[in-house]
Amino acid sequence: MYVVDVGAQVIGVNYGLLGNNLPSADQVIALIKSNKINKVRIFQPYQGVLQTLKDSNLEVVLGTLNEDLQQLATDQSFAANWVKDNVLAYIPSVKFRYITLGNEVIPGQYANFVYDPMQNVQNALKAANVNVPVTTVVSYAVLGSSYPPSNASFGQDSSAAMSKIVPFLQQNQYPLLANVYPCFAYFGEPTTIDADYALGNPNASFVYDGTLSYNNMFDAMIDAMYVALEKVGGNGVKVVVSETGWPSAGADLATTNNAKTYVNNVIQRVLTGKGTPKRPETPLEAYIFALFNENQKPAGTEQNFGLFYPDMTPVYPVNIV
């Protein structure tokens, strides 16, 4: 049986392809490895990228097209073929860490087409004697309330979908992948949120929530997701941070210095191996968004989340080790 090891704390990176000037896949994989990153997330099964990932020893988070969710939900044979073409064809040369069904689709038009695809893809994997965790990626929009973390819960427009997904994750001991962006909260309330708290600087003042205390928003946002999960029976579900980052341009507070500070603070935070105040024994796992500035994304901050420019020079220095 092919089984993925999901025990270690890690830093990974999101590898998007929404640019017309990006380097070739083999150059990209070499760049990732040269920077001591051992995990990569791709948003859909790009065959050229998957071919290049063979024997790279990188662990891969593989996404699906949101537009495929409805067919994956209603057609088991389509799900089986998807698994055959995009997973089984590459095992064991590609090390799959997670397979994600849907990226930030809850709440939304595809919210009711997440649970069934998860089951269908899992069935296809099990039929092939392959054990890779199957999950979904949520944004912070799934939460109706998030502050303080102890008050967090899934929103009314998300609770129906999450109340089906969370027991599936709990039963199978699969994680929930969540996109966590303190920058957007800070951009929205720069006069009320302390910059050091948003950036994760060690000199930030503590924010207290009952018996727990937080000196960075990253931890607080993760714990809010844990509280929401517990309220729908997900006490054993781990939160994996599938995206986090800070734009280096495109808004007043999107600066190279802020991006460098936040990303390096997150990396060092994760590499301590310590969990959050609510889950101190659960090591963190986070994927930096994103590898490159991508010029075919919407103008503004969205084009400026990269660690690297398309010519593979750093936007700012990052220390992974």
Side-chain angles (χ1 to χ4, degrees):
M1 174 182 278
Y2 176 92
V3 179
V4 64
D5 174 15
V6 293
Q9 77 271 18
V10 296
I11 286 289
V13 68
N14 285 268
Y15 173 21
L17 282 90
L18 294 178
N20 60 12
N21 55 355
L22 298 177
S24 64
D26 58 338
Q27 290 176 300
V28 173
I29 302 309
L31 177 69
I32 292 171
K33 295 179 71 173
S34 71
N35 282 275
K36 312 299 182 186
I37 300 169
N38 61 2
K39 306 285 184 288
V40 62
R41 176 183 173 218
I42 58 175
F43 294 85
Q44 64 187 76
Y46 301 104
Q47 301 303 317
V49 174
L50 287 169
Q51 287 288 346
T52 307
L53 283 164
K54 285 184 174 180
D55 301 317
S56 67
N57 212 35
L58 296 176
E59 290 189 82
V60 179
V61 180
L62 175 64
T64 55
L65 284 169
N66 291 341
E67 294 79 6
D68 284 342
L69 288 173
Q70 189 165 356
Q71 194 166 3
L72 285 165
T74 57
D75 187 344
Q76 178 67 59
S77 64
F78 180 81
N81 284 328
W82 189 96
V83 168
K84 178 172 68 73
D85 294 341
N86 301 309
V87 180
L88 304 183
Y90 296 98
I91 286 176
S93 300
V94 174
K95 298 168 66 175
F96 291 101
R97 188 165 181 84
Y98 311 120
I99 296 171
T100 62
L101 282 300
N103 182 41
E104 296 189 335
V105 299
I106 305 168
Q109 63 175 320
Y110 297 115
N112 292 327
F113 299 106
V114 176
Y115 172 71
D116 289 334
M118 289 167 66
Q119 283 204 313
N120 288 342
V121 167
Q122 185 196 48
N123 290 340
L125 290 167
K126 285 189 171 181
N129 214 28
V130 170
N131 184 19
V132 177
V134 176
T135 182
T136 190
V137 177
V138 297
S139 74
Y140 229 57
V142 297
L143 298 182
S145 58
S146 61
Y147 183 83
S150 60
N151 193 46
S153 62
F154 293 119
Q156 288 186 343
D157 52 359
S158 302
S159 59
M162 296 306 295
S163 64
K164 294 177 68 176
I165 291 165
V166 173
F168 173 87
L169 299 176
Q170 172 85 14
Q171 178 182 354
N172 290 286
Q173 297 184 301
Y174 295 161
L176 176 70
L177 272 58
N179 296 341
V180 176
Y181 284 102
C183 62
F184 293 136
Y186 178 55
F187 293 171
E189 299 182 64
T191 59
T192 56
I193 296 174
D194 176 44
D196 289 322
Y197 183 70
L199 290 165
N201 286 329
N203 62 328
S205 299
F206 278 88
V207 173
Y208 295 93
D209 182 12
T211 59
L212 302 179
S213 59
Y214 298 89
N215 74 336
N216 68 82
M217 188 179 288
F218 180 72
D219 279 9
M221 292 179 76
I222 296 170
D223 275 356
M225 199 67 70
Y226 274 127
V227 171
L229 282 166
E230 289 178 359
K231 289 179 178 176
V232 291
N235 298 59
V237 177
K238 178 181 177 178
V239 173
V240 168
V241 178
S242 39
E243 293 179 23
T244 194
W246 196 290
S248 60
D252 289 344
L253 298 168
T255 66
T256 302
N257 189 59
N258 280 349
K260 177 182 71 173
T261 299
Y262 176 77
V263 168
N264 280 286
N265 282 343
V266 164
I267 290 169
Q268 296 312 308
R269 169 73 189 82
V270 171
L271 292 179
T272 66
K274 298 176 182 177
T276 62
K278 186 166 180 59
R279 297 282 179 92
E281 304 303 318
T282 303
L284 293 170
E285 178 178 345
Y287 294 76
I288 303 299
F289 187 89
L291 190 57
F292 294 109
N293 285 347
E294 299 172 54
N295 66 2
Q296 293 177 319
K297 299 196 78 173
T301 57
E302 283 291 314
Q303 292 188 3
N304 292 285
F305 272 91
L307 300 176
F308 297 92
Y309 295 107
D311 65 0
M312 298 194 293
T313 58
V315 176
Y316 49 85
V318 171
N319 183 21
I320 301 294
V321 293

